[in-house]
Each structure stands twice: as C-alpha cells, then as structure tokens.
C-alpha cells in the first residue's frame, strides 16, 4: 500500500485516497488553492502522478513561494502558503524523472460557464450551445488553454484524457455543475491538434469505454476514434454575394436541380492508390463539372464524421465534425465557399434519426440511456441496428437542433436534407405488434419526434434567412412541407418517394405491357401539389441489388438508352424540383459501389455521352424556362392534355408560369413513332421545339417535327385548337408557344 502523510493537506486519508483513485465526486473542492483551517492562510494541493517534487511559483515574479510536501507516494502534494500571503496567482514547477516542467495548475481556475447557458441547455432552447460545449481554445484569467465541457448527468466522475496527460483519467477530473449534469475543466497549455476523449465512471461506479466528445469539431479518421482540438472561426469566407442572394434562389418558384454526391466515390485518384479526392481537389474538379451540367445545387451524402465507410455516413459519430477523409474542417469550408462563389448551393444530408452503437459514441454515454431511450422498444432501431434518439429529453433535443444550426452557421450550409423522417414519425416503424410502445393517446405517432422536427424547422428558418430543409419522408404523413403554424412539420420541401417508385416501376416494364400500368405515370398528379415536392432519383435506387438506373430500363442497348432519355425528359418537365444521383447523369452501367470511383471511361461511348449531354441541356432548359419551375408547387401551373392514352403509351401536358407562352410536353413510351398525332393546345400559334430526347446528338433516331408545329383551329381533347405532331419513339419532346 502507498505511504502517505495527510497532515499538510488538511484532508482525511479517505479524501486523499478518493482523489488518488479518481473516485472523488468534487475534486475542485480540494485541489488547487483553498482557504486553510487557520484564518487568513491558504493551502495549495496538487495531484501529479509520477512527480518527484513540486514547488509553487509566484506567477508574476517567477519566485518560489514554497515547496509542496508529498502526502501520498502516488503523487499527491500539498502545503500551507502561510498567513502573510493572501490568494495569489501561481504556477507549479514539477520535477519528473524525465526532467523539470513549469506548468499552470488547472484546478486554480474558476468556471467559464454561464448559468444562463446551462439553464437554456436543460430547457432545450440554447441555440448556440456549440459555442461552449465541446472543446474551445480560450484565454482564461490571462492564460491560453482549452476548455472542455460535456453533458453526463449520471456519471460519478468524468475526466478529460488525451495525448497531453498520457490518457490517465486521474489527472484531469472535471468539475460537475449540479442540476445540469454538465462537467467542465480548463486545461492551460493544451492547444490545437490535441487528441482527447472522456473517461467516464458510470452511476454504479463502473468505468465505461473512453467516449469521443459529442460536440467535437474534428475527429481522427477511421479506424482511430479520438476527438481533436481545433480553432473555430479561423476561415475567411468569400461568399457574401451568394449569401445575400440565397433567399431569392431557394424558393418554391425558383429552379432547383440537385446533384447528389458521395464525395468518396464520385471520382478517385486511381494513379495514387485509388485514394479519395480532398475537399480542395473536389472544389477544383466537382464544382466545374456541376456548373457545366447546369445543376443548381450539390447535395452531399452525410459528411459528419462516421467510423464505417459502408454506412456512407448515415451512421455518424461526430455530428459536429466534417469527416477527415477529405481533409481538415477549414478545407471543408473552402469547398462550400467555392461552391457559393460559382453560384452553386450546398445541401447536406443530416441524420437526426439514429446513431450507431460504436463504443466510443453516444450509446449509454454516461452509463445510462442518455441520448437514447432506455427501453429498446423505443430506443433501438431494428432495421439498422442503431440507437434512436430520445426526442422527449430536452437536452437531446437541444443537441440535435444546435447541431443543425451549427452547420448553417459555421459552414454556411444552404439546406439540410433530413434522412429517414418516416422512421422518426412512427413508433411502430418496422416493428411488429408488441414491439413498440404507443403514445399517451394510444396512437402510433411519435409525438415527441413531431415536436422536435417542428422546433428544428422553426429555429432553422427563423435564424438563417434563405436556407431550406428537405424531408425524406416515405409515407402520407400530412403537411410535411406546410408551415408549423398551420399544423405542418415546417419543412421547405419533401422528397416524392411515391412518384419515384411508381414511375420507375412503369419504366421497368416492356413497352408492350405499359398500357396496363399507365396510371403509374399519372397517379402522381393526384397529389402533386399537396406538398412542395422534390422528384428524387437518389443513391437508394442504385444499390443493394437494385442495379443502375440504366439497367432498370427494358429492351436492347438502344432501347435502354432511349427509355432512360425519355424518362429524364418526363422527369424534368414534371412539376417538382429535381434530384439526380452521381453517375445517373451519364447512364452508369454498374450498380453504385462506394468503394470505387464512377466509370468515367463510359463517356468515351457516344450513347453515354449523349445521356450526359441531355441532362446538361435539360438542366439549362429548366433553369431558363420559368414555365418549367415557377409553379412547380402550384396546381395552377399544370394541365393534362391527355392522361388516358394508355393504348398509345402517350402522355401530354401543359406547364405554365407567369407568361402567356405555355410549354407543351409530349412523351411517347413505345419504341415506334406515332405519325400525325393530334393534340389539343391552349391557343393558336407556333409551338417551337425546345428539346427532343430522340435527337441524334443524344444518341436518338432523330425523329421530330422539323423544329416545331403550327396550331390549327381543329378541336381536339376538349380544346378549340390543336397541333398535329410526329412523336418519336421512346422519347419526350418539349415545345413552347412563341410569344405573339
């Protein structure tokens, strides 16, 4: 047993042992400088494992005030400073076997935390908790260092451990703020680049696996799991022009065409071991490509730090840290900044629905179900083997809302696409009877998640002008993209999963059978304006054995490409904003593989190059033709010409905007041309052909109408006037009435 002399410390043997064994529940009450038993005198106590001797120095003069006595051979030192000296600033000169160190004593510093911040955090309304939770470089009481703050209310003890203290949980035990469950410590001389975690002793005294910081702003790359100390606000943004005009570019009546990207597989450096492109390389290569292709936005699959590549980021551990796979945090900001400078918005996939059970993550963070529900019927997701957030706990709600605001604030993100909203809304999602707990009314709706989503949207839109939120919600939950004051969830847009499933199902049929599935292409118009919809062809449609978008198309090689071109023409002309996953824009032949880059060599083939040219032209046409976007979310902007021509597999409709020059869209989903096909039109005049997906420049057969057609005073389809057209095979043709 270690020998000890407790007299100089003026503490009991039990108190000293508790400090030495890291079992003290209030170490700040004992370590540092404290009033001694004799009035007017102060005692300094320090616990420095491995120290041979310790002297107290006056911070101002550097003179030795007193040598501390060793009270415990494990490294506990103490001594009275005497009556003549009051409280003073001091440093410790410590002699180790390896040499001498002059250091600040972390236990001499006062708390950095504001009582109001702690109160609002517990209330769930501290919108910028990221300004003080986590690790922050600070100057405190004249000394440079890093403050560490973490929430762990059920912990008996929390210590910061890292490469600055040999990962020894005895050395830097944190101060607990009773009532809030928040722990903090200021560590002098710990700076940028320090690796750290939290060592937590749970409510039963059990030592938990080391935990990464839930608010870490940077993390080690997998398979390493430490959090990193970094400076915030060191990046100088140059996107003022974009930020000022963003609001006018992200409204329902503006063109929004999104290129969804997995940054790790869009393109690789094959000549350098097939490595990832960095954020800066992506800025140089991806941004010009997206701009050339005419997309208005890039949507990144989750870039919050995640341990497993195969999760694609949808099982995040570092919600405040951009993944280090592509570079440091400021390089991520650089990429976003460059997007903005080129007029491209950035949407980030955000995952507040669940989190993985990696031992260094949020699961049972303080030895209890802190971030997740204790009951697995509420707290465990059977589909993904992940934990589900406890949305009813105010601090957890604050964590998630603060995280959303952090990305909008510190990274200038323009939009957050919220993943798996349906799994959040329903308590019985993917569960059998008896495997879920009804709400207080006996229903299946997760009322706490509903309130969280409303709060997230209200605060996001309220604080950051011009941003947008988008819901991946696969059910018929009402009012997803309606204002919260009207009873909606408050999202700006909703992914139209029904439209995607129906239309892809139709397209997979051989044309000879399509007459029996005609309604799959038209049914979407029954509900097209019930929400502000995005039409998504996302990564989910080209993985897990589903094949590529091109491989879904029937027929021989030519027909597959023709079907794909016709489908894209239909999609871009259909009401709703657009989203297309990487590789789909040139007809990637293979199913998407996150471990390799896209098959860019396919663009040497004229058919693949033709699809790419078509998507580029569709985007430019969409963005330059108000009739195709102004009333995307308003039924006044759409009229069927013919929706029931099942035997012909023809669809024809009108798109309208604020002008008197409507756009007419005609789609033939059979592999044979329809000659002299008459369609009613809104008025007389010349209908100029804007785009034909069967054009030879796209790889088509070049069947068309010699640039357009004149309307005649011949009644058809309930209209007084009509045009007689030649409809190309497996093609969409877009016309516009020329101005008077």
């Amino acid at each position: 047993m270690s020998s000890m002399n407790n007299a100089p410390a003026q503490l009991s043997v039990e108190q000293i042992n508790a400090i030495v064994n890291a079992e003290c529940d209030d170490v700040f009450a004992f370590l540092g400088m404290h009033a001694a038993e004799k009035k007017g005198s102060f005692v300094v106590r320090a616990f420095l494992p491995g120290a041979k001797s310790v002297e107290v120095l006056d911070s101002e003069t550097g003179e030795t005030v007193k040598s501390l006595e060793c009270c415990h051979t494990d490294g506990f030192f103490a001594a009275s400073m005497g009556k003549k000296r009051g409280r003073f600033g001091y440093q410790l000169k410590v002699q180790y076997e390896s040499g001498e160190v002059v250091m600040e004593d972390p236990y001499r510093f006062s708390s950095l935390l504001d009582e109001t911040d702690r109160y609002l955090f517990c209330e769930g309304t501290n919108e910028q908790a990221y300004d003080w939770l986590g690790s922050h470089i600070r100057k405190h009481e004249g000394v440079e260092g890093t403050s560490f703050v973490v929430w762990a209310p059920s912990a008996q003890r929390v210590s910061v451990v890292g490469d600055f203290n040999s990962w020894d949980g005895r050395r830097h035990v944190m101060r607990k703020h009773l009532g809030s469950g928040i722990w903090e410590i200021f560590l002098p001389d710990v700076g940028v680049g320090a690796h750290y975690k939290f060592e937590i002793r749970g409510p039963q005294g059990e030592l938990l696996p080391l935990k990464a910081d839930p608010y870490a702003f940077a993390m080690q790359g997998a398979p390493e799991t430490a959090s990193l100390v970094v400076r915030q606000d060191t990046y100088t943004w140059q996107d003022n022009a974009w930020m000022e005009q963003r609001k006018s570019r992200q409204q329902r009546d503006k063109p929004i065409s999104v290129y969804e990207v997995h940054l790790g597989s869009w393109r690789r450096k094959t000549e350098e071991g097939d490595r990832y492109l960095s954020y800066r390389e992506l800025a140089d290569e991806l941004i010009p490509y997206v701009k050339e292709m005419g997309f208005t936005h890039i949507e990144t699959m989750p870039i919050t730090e995640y341990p497993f590549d195969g999760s694609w980021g949808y099982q995040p551990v570092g919600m405040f840290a951009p993944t280090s796979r592509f570079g440091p945090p400021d390089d991520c900001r650089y990429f976003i900044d460059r997007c903005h400078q080129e007029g491209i918005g950035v949407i980030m996939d955000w995952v507040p629905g669940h989190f993985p059970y990696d031992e260094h993550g949020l699961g049972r963070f303080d030895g209890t179900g802190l971030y997740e529900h204790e009951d697995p019927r509420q707290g465990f997701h059977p589909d993904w083997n992940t934990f589900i957030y406890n949305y009813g706990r105010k601090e957890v709600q604050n964590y998630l809302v603060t995280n959303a605001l952090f990305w909008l604030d510190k990274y200038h993100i323009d939009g957050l696409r919220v993943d798996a909203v349906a799994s959040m809304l329903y308590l019985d999602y993917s569960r059998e009877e008896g495997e879920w707990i009804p709400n207080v009314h006996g229903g299946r709706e997760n009322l706490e998640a509903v309130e969280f989503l409303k709060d997230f949207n209200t605060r996001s839109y309220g604080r950051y002008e011009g941003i947008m939120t988008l819901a991946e919600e696969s059910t018929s939950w009402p009012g997803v993209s309606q204002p919260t004051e009207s009873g909606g969830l408050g999202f700006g847009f909703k992914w139209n999963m029904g439209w995607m499933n129906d239309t892809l199902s139709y397209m997979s049929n051989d044309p000879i059978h399509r007459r029996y599935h005609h309604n799959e292409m038209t049914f979407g118009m029954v509900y097209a304006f019930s929400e502000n919809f995005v039409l998504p062809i996302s990564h989910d449609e080209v993985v897990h054995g589903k094949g590529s978008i091109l491989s879904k198309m029937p027929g021989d090689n030519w027909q597959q490409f023709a079907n794909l071109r016709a489908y894209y023409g239909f999609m871009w002309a259909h009401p709703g904003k657009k989203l297309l996953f990487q590789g789909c824009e040139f007809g990637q032949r293979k199913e998407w593989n996150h471990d390799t880059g896209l098959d860019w060599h396919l663009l040497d083939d004229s058919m693949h190059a033709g699809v790419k040219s078509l998507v580029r032209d569709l985007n430019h046409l969409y963005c330059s033709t108000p009739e195709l976007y102004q009333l995307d979310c308003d039924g006044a902007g759409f009229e069927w010409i013919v929706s029931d021509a099942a035997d012909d597999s023809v669809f024809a409709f009108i798109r309208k905007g604020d002008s008197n020059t409507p756009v007419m869209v005609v789609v033939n989903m059979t592999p044979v041309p329809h000659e002299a096909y008459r369609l009613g039109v809104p008025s007389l005049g010349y209908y100029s052909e804007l785009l034909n997906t069967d054009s030879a420049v796209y790889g088509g057969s070049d069947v068309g109408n010699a640039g357009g057609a004149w309307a005649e005073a011949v009644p058809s389809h309930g209209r007084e006037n009509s045009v007689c057209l030649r409809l190309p095979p497996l093609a969409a043709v877009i016309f516009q009435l020329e101005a008077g």
Side-chain angles (χ1 to χ4, degrees), residues 352-387:
H354 63 121
F355 58 92
Y357 55 78
D358 297 70
E359 65 176 14
H360 67 287
L362 295 181
R364 302 198 66 79
F365 188 80
D366 65 353
T368 68
L370 184 63
Y371 286 88
E372 73 276 20
H373 286 276
E374 284 279 5
D375 193 318
R377 292 174 296 174
Q378 294 175 288
F380 188 76
H381 205 301
D383 281 357
W384 302 309
N385 291 323
T386 50
F387 291 118

Side-chain angles (χ1 to χ4, degrees), residues 97 275 386 417 424 734:
E97 282 190 1
R275 69 165 175 83
T386 50
R417 176 265 193 188
M424 301 168 65
I734 301 174

Side-chain angles (χ1 to χ4, degrees), residues 302-380:
I303 58 172
T304 48
E305 192 61 84
Y306 54 100
F308 176 48
D309 283 0
S311 77
W312 315 328
Y314 290 101
Q315 293 194 10
V317 167
M319 289 288 280
F320 288 81
T323 179
S324 61
R325 286 166 174 82
F326 316 117
D330 276 355
D331 283 5
C332 180
R333 291 183 174 96
Y334 174 83
F335 170 76
I336 296 167
D337 197 0
R338 283 278 302 277
C339 285
H340 289 169
Q341 291 172 46
E342 296 298 331
I344 297 168
V346 180
I347 300 167
M348 185 183 82
D349 272 15
W350 186 55
V351 189
H354 63 121
F355 58 92
Y357 55 78
D358 297 70
E359 65 176 14
H360 67 287
L362 295 181
R364 302 198 66 79
F365 188 80
D366 65 353
T368 68
L370 184 63
Y371 286 88
E372 73 276 20
H373 286 276
E374 284 279 5
D375 193 318
R377 292 174 296 174
Q378 294 175 288
F380 188 76

Side-chain angles (χ1 to χ4, degrees), residues 513-545:
H513 301 302
R514 284 177 174 167
R515 67 183 65 189
Y516 307 113
H517 301 271
H518 196 77
N519 67 309
E520 291 179 345
M521 292 289 271
T522 61
F523 182 68
M525 290 311 305
V526 173
Y527 60 87
F529 307 107
S530 61
E531 302 276 5
N532 303 326
F533 279 124
V534 173
L535 309 182
I537 302 299
S538 74
H539 67 276
D540 278 330
E541 311 320 311
V542 294
V543 290
H544 301 319

Side-chain angles (χ1 to χ4, degrees), residues 63-264:
E63 295 177 353
T64 299
V65 176
K66 197 159 189 179
S67 295
L68 300 185
E69 296 183 45
C70 183
C71 303
H72 194 294
T73 54
D74 280 359
F76 189 93
F77 294 82
S80 173
M81 296 298 102
K83 280 190 173 183
K84 293 183 179 180
R85 297 191 69 100
R87 188 179 292 274
F88 63 96
Y90 68 92
Q91 294 176 306
L92 301 175
K93 183 165 72 173
V94 187
Q95 185 68 47
Y96 293 100
E97 282 190 1
S98 58
E100 186 178 273
V101 176
V102 175
M103 58 177 284
E104 300 285 352
D105 181 0
Y107 294 99
R108 81 169 178 86
F109 292 92
S110 61
S111 172
L112 275 160
L113 297 190
D114 181 83
E115 184 177 349
T116 301
D117 279 336
R118 301 199 306 272
Y119 174 82
L120 293 176
F121 172 77
C122 294
E123 187 184 63
T125 59
N126 194 310
E127 294 185 351
Q128 292 178 290
Y130 52 82
D131 281 341
W132 53 276
L133 278 156
S135 62
H136 294 270
I137 303 291
R138 306 227 187 258
K139 190 170 187 178
H140 183 38
E141 297 177 5
V143 177
E144 292 279 352
T146 299
S147 68
F148 296 89
V149 184
V150 67
W151 177 58
S154 295
Q156 288 187 4
R157 186 259 296 173
V158 181
S159 301
V160 178
V161 295
D163 53 10
F164 44 82
N165 63 11
S166 303
W167 301 90
D168 185 346
R170 301 172 300 162
R171 294 174 182 265
H172 293 132
V173 178
M174 304 174 78
R175 172 193 284 118
K176 185 175 183 178
H177 291 268
L178 298 177
S180 66
I182 290 171
W183 300 73
E184 68 145 341
I185 194 169
F186 174 73
L187 297 186
D189 304 321
V190 172
V192 171
H195 295 54
Y196 72 98
K197 287 186 180 180
F198 295 113
E199 182 179 280
I200 300 175
R201 190 175 293 279
Q204 307 306 318
E206 72 278 23
L207 201 60
L208 304 176
L210 296 183
K211 293 291 187 178
D213 185 352
Y215 286 82
F217 302 120
M219 296 183 69
Q220 283 183 297
E224 303 302 324
T225 57
S227 304
L228 303 179
V229 175
V230 294
R231 287 190 181 274
Q232 292 287 347
D233 299 323
T234 57
Y235 184 80
T236 302
W237 290 89
Q238 301 180 49
D239 62 349
N240 288 343
W242 166 267
M243 298 298 281
E244 289 173 1
Q245 62 182 266
R246 180 172 68 180
K247 182 179 180 180
S248 67
R249 301 181 69 160
Q250 298 198 152
Q251 301 299 308
R252 296 190 314 163
D253 62 349
K254 300 299 180 183
I256 296 175
S257 182
V258 182
Y259 188 58
E260 186 190 22
V261 181
H262 178 257
L263 295 182

Side-chain angles (χ1 to χ4, degrees), residues 401-683:
V401 171
T402 296
N403 181 249
L405 300 179
F406 168 80
W407 288 99
L408 300 174
D409 176 13
K410 300 299 185 182
Y411 284 83
H412 291 201
I413 289 291
D414 304 296
L416 294 169
R417 176 265 193 188
V418 182
D419 179 62
V421 171
S423 74
M424 301 168 65
L425 292 174
Y426 297 97
L427 295 165
D428 64 345
Y429 185 89
S430 205
R431 297 178 189 272
E432 301 296 329
E433 187 174 349
E435 296 178 348
W436 58 283
I437 301 174
N439 64 34
V440 293
H441 306 298
R444 58 196 285 255
E445 300 81 12
N446 189 332
L447 302 179
E448 295 164 341
V450 170
E451 289 309 307
F452 157 68
L453 290 170
K454 289 181 177 180
D455 188 48
F456 148 69
N457 280 308
T458 298
R459 293 183 185 277
S460 296
Y461 279 100
R463 182 173 281 274
Y464 298 103
E465 187 176 42
I467 62 96
M468 60 178 169
T469 63
L470 308 94
E472 185 212 16
E473 203 286 306
S474 55
T475 74
S476 56
W477 185 282
V480 171
S481 59
Q482 302 305 312
T484 55
E485 57 266 28
S486 302
L489 295 181
F491 284 93
F493 296 93
K494 173 182 172 175
W495 276 23
N496 194 335
M497 312 295 282
W499 176 91
M500 177 271 298
N501 285 318
D502 287 347
T503 57
L504 286 181
S505 173
Y506 175 90
M507 294 303 300
S508 69
N509 287 290
D510 189 285
I512 198 171
H513 301 302
R514 284 177 174 167
R515 67 183 65 189
Y516 307 113
H517 301 271
H518 196 77
N519 67 309
E520 291 179 345
M521 292 289 271
T522 61
F523 182 68
M525 290 311 305
V526 173
Y527 60 87
F529 307 107
S530 61
E531 302 276 5
N532 303 326
F533 279 124
V534 173
L535 309 182
I537 302 299
S538 74
H539 67 276
D540 278 330
E541 311 320 311
V542 294
V543 290
H544 301 319
K546 295 179 183 178
S548 69
I549 192 75
L550 180 63
S551 70
K552 299 179 194 299
M553 303 298 153
D556 59 24
N557 188 64
W558 189 92
Q559 289 186 354
Q560 281 189 305
F561 278 99
N563 272 300
L564 184 59
R565 293 192 304 267
Y567 182 63
Y568 286 164
F570 176 80
M571 173 180 172
W572 257 258
H574 192 284
K577 309 308 178 186
K578 325 301 174 190
L579 180 139
L580 194 65
F581 182 57
Q582 64 180 38
C584 295
E585 79 277 11
F586 60 81
Q588 170 101 354
R589 176 65 72 177
K590 295 186 301 187
E591 183 174 279
W592 172 56
N593 180 356
H594 71 272
D595 281 328
T596 63
L598 298 178
D599 292 335
W600 293 102
H601 65 274
L602 293 176
L603 289 172
D604 294 335
D605 183 294
S606 62
M607 298 298 279
H608 290 280
V611 174
K612 176 176 176 286
S613 295
L614 172 66
V615 172
R616 177 198 63 206
D617 291 353
L618 282 169
N619 272 329
H620 287 293
L621 178 64
Y622 171 64
C623 292
S624 63
T625 309
E627 291 77 10
L628 292 176
Y629 64 76
Q630 275 185 338
L631 299 176
D632 260 337
C633 306
D634 188 332
F638 179 90
E639 288 180 20
W640 280 114
I641 296 174
V642 56
S643 63
D644 57 358
D647 289 341
D648 298 331
S649 294
V650 167
F651 308 88
F653 52 87
I654 297 293
R655 294 296 309 277
K656 296 179 290 184
D658 294 337
S659 70
N660 294 317
T661 54
V663 167
M664 176 175 65
V665 182
V666 187
V667 185
N668 173 18
M669 287 298 186
T670 71
V672 295
H674 290 309
E675 304 290 347
Y677 204 92
R678 188 166 292 278
L679 292 166
V681 293
S683 59

